[in-house]
Amino acid sequence: MQIASESIMRVCSDREIYEEVLDLDGKHLIELGCGAADHTRAIAAGGVDRTIIAFEVDAIQHAKNLDSQYPRNVKFRYGGAEAIDCDDASADAVFMFKSLHHVPIGSMPRALEEITRVLKPGGHAYISEPIFAGTFNDIIRLFHDERVVREAAFESIRTAVERGAFELYSEVFFRAPVAFKDFAEFEERIIRATHTDHRLSNDVYDEVQARFARYVTPSGAYFEAPMRVDLLIKPPD
């Protein structure tokens, strides 16, 4: 396993990856740290006879999800990855999109144990994590440096594989498009995200805005964020 790749050529979305590597039709699925549930809705609508339970630990975002319109095959629940409110061996696949590194470092091993518990034998864990590199990351790290937690997330996965809790099916590296129409949208989506209390000094705010401005074009700002997917399998009984 490797935390990053020096040469990543593929530019695509997570959706292209998971629809390519997983058969989700007729499956019972879990997503941990669903945020605004964009992935949840895409998974639910992307095939046939899929059901998904989406967990979110941010109470503000969870309330927004419950108040939104969502498909009948989606259920929202409040809670973190460290204590998944689902039965043993009840899920065919578990998804984490850029959320494992948000789990407290000391709780990451427990979160992976919980994923193992709720997965059926032979079930898949799809864990997508941002790589600490790239122009978009260089802006974010000015006010929210995630190097330590991202490295800890990778080590927790690697350790779980080494001790046999999972088998590594594949690692996929890609660059995910990230677009904003202007700095106001970046501020709303990133700086003011309710899951993290970002408090920027005036100097840091000005530097973030100036750095962002370097990538603004008449059609907005566009980035390609390097990503890694660890696709894991719970060993059969």
Side-chain angles (χ1 to χ4, degrees):
M1 299 179 67
Q2 55 182 350
I3 193 171
S5 175
E6 293 183 359
S7 178
I8 304 175
M9 303 303 295
R10 185 173 184 178
V11 180
C12 66
S13 66
D14 260 295
R15 184 175 185 175
E16 292 178 57
I17 302 293
Y18 64 69
E19 293 288 3
E20 179 181 292
V21 300
L22 294 173
D23 177 10
L24 302 177
D25 289 351
K27 301 299 195 302
H28 178 59
L29 313 168
I30 294 172
E31 183 184 354
L32 303 172
C34 68
D38 293 333
H39 287 296
T40 311
R41 291 179 172 86
I43 291 170
V48 179
D49 193 27
R50 302 176 178 186
T51 60
I52 183 166
I53 300 174
F55 288 85
E56 177 53 49
V57 73
D58 174 7
I60 296 173
Q61 184 60 62
H62 177 60
K64 290 180 180 178
N65 292 341
L66 290 175
D67 288 340
S68 68
Q69 292 185 342
Y70 54 91
R72 295 178 62 183
N73 57 336
V74 171
K75 292 182 180 179
F76 290 116
R77 290 185 185 172
Y78 177 75
E82 310 95 311
I84 303 172
D85 183 19
C86 291
D87 293 337
D88 295 358
S90 60
D92 295 289
V94 175
F95 294 90
M96 296 190 81
F97 298 100
K98 296 187 290 188
S99 56
L100 180 57
H101 70 274
H102 287 295
V103 175
I105 290 177
S107 298
M108 288 178 184
R110 176 59 183 166
L112 290 168
E113 290 173 2
E114 278 288 274
I115 292 172
T116 303
R117 179 184 66 79
V118 301
L119 277 174
K120 298 176 182 177
H124 292 83
Y126 180 103
I127 304 177
S128 181
E129 281 285 297
I131 295 170
F132 196 78
T135 54
F136 185 62
N137 184 73
D138 287 343
I139 296 173
I140 302 297
R141 67 185 298 189
L142 292 172
F143 61 93
H144 189 59
D145 191 321
E146 293 187 325
R147 180 188 293 275
V148 171
V149 292
R150 293 188 195 179
E151 290 177 351
F154 173 77
E155 287 301 317
S156 68
I157 297 170
R158 185 181 61 79
T159 299
V161 171
E162 287 183 348
R163 67 179 180 82
F166 294 102
E167 297 172 359
L168 177 65
Y169 180 79
S170 66
E171 273 191 321
V172 181
F173 295 93
F174 66 103
R175 289 182 284 140
V178 184
F180 304 90
K181 63 181 180 180
D182 52 27
F183 184 75
E185 183 183 0
F186 172 85
E187 182 172 8
E188 178 65 23
R189 285 169 50 189
I190 306 300
I191 297 178
R192 301 192 183 280
T194 56
H195 60 70
T196 304
D197 184 14
H198 295 131
R199 299 188 183 187
L200 283 64
S201 68
N202 291 336
D203 288 344
V204 171
Y205 181 90
D206 291 344
E207 176 60 23
V208 170
Q209 190 170 27
R211 189 76 63 88
F212 183 89
R214 299 177 189 174
Y215 303 96
V216 174
T217 70
S219 58
Y222 175 80
F223 306 89
E224 292 179 354
M227 301 287 297
R228 182 192 72 254
V229 169
D230 293 301
L231 185 60
L232 312 174
I233 299 177
K234 178 179 176 177
D237 289 338

